[in-house]
Amino acid sequence: MRARPQVCEALLFALALQTGVCYGIKWLALSKTPPALALNQTQHCKQLEGLVSAQVQLCRSNLELMHTIVHAAREVTKACRRAFADMRWNCSSIELAPNYLLDLERGTRESAFVYALSAAAISHAIARACTSGDLPGCSCGPVPGEPPGPGNRWGGCADNLSYGLLMGAKFSDAPMKVKKTGSQANKLMRLHNSEVGRQALRASLEMKCKCHGVSGSCSIRTCWKGLQELRDVAADLKTRYLSATKVVHRPMGTRKHLVPKDLDIRPVKDSELVYLQSSPDFCMKNEKVGSHGTQDRQCNKTSNGSDSCDLMCCGRGYNPYTDRVVERCHCKYHWCCYVTCRRCERTVERYVCK
Ligand SMILES: *[C@@H]1O[C@H](CO)[C@@H](O)[C@H](O)[C@H]1NC(C)=O
Ligand SMILES: *[C@@H]1O[C@H](CO)[C@@H](O)[C@H](O)[C@H]1NC(C)=O
Ligand SMILES: *[C@@H]1O[C@H](CO)[C@@H](O)[C@H](O)[C@H]1NC(C)=O
Ligand SMILES: *[C@@H]1O[C@H](CO)[C@@H](O)[C@H](O)[C@H]1NC(C)=O
Ligand SMILES: *[C@@H]1O[C@H](CO)[C@@H](O)[C@H](O)[C@H]1NC(C)=O
């Protein structure tokens, strides 16, 4: 009886694709917004790709946020590619937005990561925009309640995380709040993972300081609470991706919840990414499941991680080729104050999967 739920799922899925109801992260298509679109008039909102009507409404009423949100969509693409550069699934399919393949349309581990990263990125971008004074609607974040430590004082402009989280969640969760679309399990999964993304963002808030005092003596330090770079948040989320929990949608108490599939009856933790469907191994090309395969991918012969030729090429073997790299070399420091370098060429051996 194993095949049955899968058939059902596939049917539901085909239906969802046809009617285009699985909107979730289609807003990442904003990364393709032409720079010529000024986004300074509410009519521009309906020209944006990938938005559900609630998001178009948010665009109209918060037009000043839209440049930041477009920027966030671009950052998601960059951070995702960077975090997965050494993996078989390398996030290239995110560029198909808004028409994703099954790797991102189904409740996979990969989609769990992308939902979390997207939610983190939008709130990150808004909080940062508050700090740089780009948004009329918000100012610097609050001065922390605790003392800043000896020799330090609070100052500078903190990232306004609460505003970022509030507005970011409104925008990126809107597709999951649309009634009567998609499966309930998928919606719960997407909302949960988005919340995990925001939690990772909250956890990235750290104390940053700048030195003052005569000739860099650092007798006084001004400190504020600032967010880490998005790529660091992405690295944290990748760790959570690697240990993500498979869940099922099951009654627990009076309502159905997502609970870990394997035996134990603990609820899902707020910090863990969850997924409903297992992914293929991404070794071979299979458009149907959203696998691009690893043929012609570069691999690392000396690594023993996921980018090693053994793992990346799935045991198929690899072909060597030589590549030329140009580097700065023989650098010399001149008093005062510049450096001159020569350009050197060097050949390196590289490998691509068969
Ligand atoms: C919107 O931006 C364009 C291009 O920068 C400018 O020509 C136009 O006057 C602006 N419109 C409004 C309403 O600010
Ligand atoms: C953060 O932004 C919100 C929204 O504008 C604002 O109400 C709040 O005062 C800001 N926080 C601080 C501490 O300025
Ligand atoms: C990511 O994988 C795809 C499919 O295998 C490949 O075409 C692309 O070159 C890869 N991108 C990078 C940056 O390695
Ligand atoms: C290959 O992996 C090794 C060990 O992890 C690392 O030191 C090296 O920089 C990698 N080479 C490339 C080309 O990425
Ligand atoms: C390879 O793996 C071993 C054991 O798993 C580990 O101790 C070692 O540091 C790894 N080497 C590299 C280059 O990553």
Side-chain angles (χ1 to χ4, degrees):
M1 293 312 289
R2 280 216 97 119
R4 221 185 165 136
Q6 270 172 16
V7 170
C8 264
E9 212 174 85
L11 278 179
L12 264 179
F13 192 73
L15 215 71
L17 273 186
Q18 268 167 24
T19 51
V21 292
C22 284
Y23 255 80
I25 44 170
K26 288 193 190 294
W27 66 269
L28 294 180
L30 289 179
S31 63
K32 298 172 185 163
T33 304
L37 189 63
L39 273 175
N40 58 3
Q41 287 171 2
T42 50
Q43 299 100 284
H44 295 156
C45 290
K46 56 177 188 292
Q47 293 175 35
L48 294 171
E49 210 182 348
L51 305 188
V52 295
S53 59
Q55 286 170 320
V56 176
Q57 279 310 316
L58 282 166
C59 171
R60 289 170 178 282
S61 51
N62 300 275
L63 199 56
E64 74 288 350
L65 279 184
M66 291 317 289
H67 281 292
T68 305
I69 292 176
V70 168
H71 172 72
R74 298 200 175 111
E75 292 296 303
V76 172
T77 309
K78 267 201 263 171
C80 187
R81 280 180 153 278
R82 187 187 182 109
F84 279 78
D86 61 349
M87 306 287 283
R88 288 180 192 156
W89 184 86
N90 69 358
C91 206
S92 57
S93 35
I94 202 171
E95 316 226 324
L96 298 174
N99 302 306
Y100 298 113
L101 300 176
L102 289 197
D103 55 336
L104 290 179
E105 288 280 8
R106 295 167 83 220
T108 60
R109 205 187 260 264
E110 289 71 32
S111 82
F113 174 82
V114 176
Y115 274 78
L117 179 62
S118 304
I122 192 170
S123 294
H124 186 268
I126 295 173
R128 278 280 171 89
C130 290
T131 312
S132 43
D134 291 342
L135 300 177
C138 65
S139 48
C140 303
V143 176
E146 77 264 30
N152 299 341
R153 55 168 196 202
W154 293 120
C157 180
D159 287 324
N160 196 334
L161 186 55
S162 59
Y163 187 70
L165 290 171
L166 176 76
M167 298 310 290
K170 261 195 198 175
F171 190 89
S172 64
D173 286 357
M176 281 80 86
K177 304 274 165 79
V178 176
K179 293 218 173 62
K180 289 194 294 188
T181 60
S183 84
Q184 188 62 21
N186 258 313
K187 264 192 227 172
L188 285 177
M189 173 186 152
R190 291 167 173 189
L191 283 171
H192 173 88
N193 291 326
S194 301
E195 201 49 59
V196 173
R198 287 187 285 269
Q199 196 237 359
L201 183 65
R202 259 184 235 113
S204 86
L205 203 59
E206 62 181 6
M207 187 152 127
K208 295 185 171 175
C209 297
K210 211 159 106 181
C211 280
H212 301 279
V214 272
S215 58
S217 67
C218 210
S219 50
I220 305 169
R221 300 202 312 161
T222 308
C223 304
W224 65 95
K225 290 282 180 83
L227 294 166
Q228 285 173 24
E229 297 305 316
L230 188 66
R231 61 169 173 271
D232 300 320
V233 180
D236 174 7
L237 288 173
K238 187 188 174 189
T239 308
R240 301 184 202 217
Y241 158 90
L242 292 170
S243 61
T245 305
K246 189 168 190 179
V247 292
V248 288
H249 195 212
R250 188 185 282 156
M252 211 176 68
T254 53
R255 286 171 52 195
K256 279 176 106 178
H257 293 265
L258 296 179
V259 290
K261 184 169 184 288
D262 289 326
L263 297 175
D264 55 336
I265 17 183
R266 69 175 171 86
V268 195
K269 286 188 227 143
D270 290 341
S271 57
E272 66 189 345
L273 289 177
V274 301
Y275 64 100
L276 289 157
Q277 279 130 2
S278 298
S279 303
D281 59 18
F282 297 111
C283 281
M284 305 303 284
K285 193 175 179 68
N286 181 351
E287 288 274 318
K288 266 195 224 136
V289 294
S291 168
H292 303 289
T294 61
Q295 192 181 354
D296 297 331
R297 281 286 301 278
Q298 215 174 82
C299 63
N300 185 333
K301 209 177 154 188
T302 52
S303 155
N304 58 4
S306 56
D307 60 344
S308 69
C309 288
D310 212 23
L311 285 175
M312 183 62 77
C313 309
C314 308
R316 293 189 305 268
Y318 46 91
N319 295 319
Y321 70 97
T322 50
D323 199 8
R324 279 175 139 34
V325 289
V326 180
E327 292 170 324
R328 281 149 53 96
C329 56
H330 304 301
C331 291
K332 225 165 131 183
Y333 178 73
H334 298 266
W335 179 264
C336 170
C337 296
Y338 65 100
V339 177
T340 54
C341 295
R342 304 242 298 268
R343 283 157 54 89
C344 299
E345 250 186 39
R346 181 165 72 87
T347 57
V348 290
E349 185 112 308
R350 293 198 203 282
Y351 308 88
V352 287
C353 294
K354 282 187 180 168

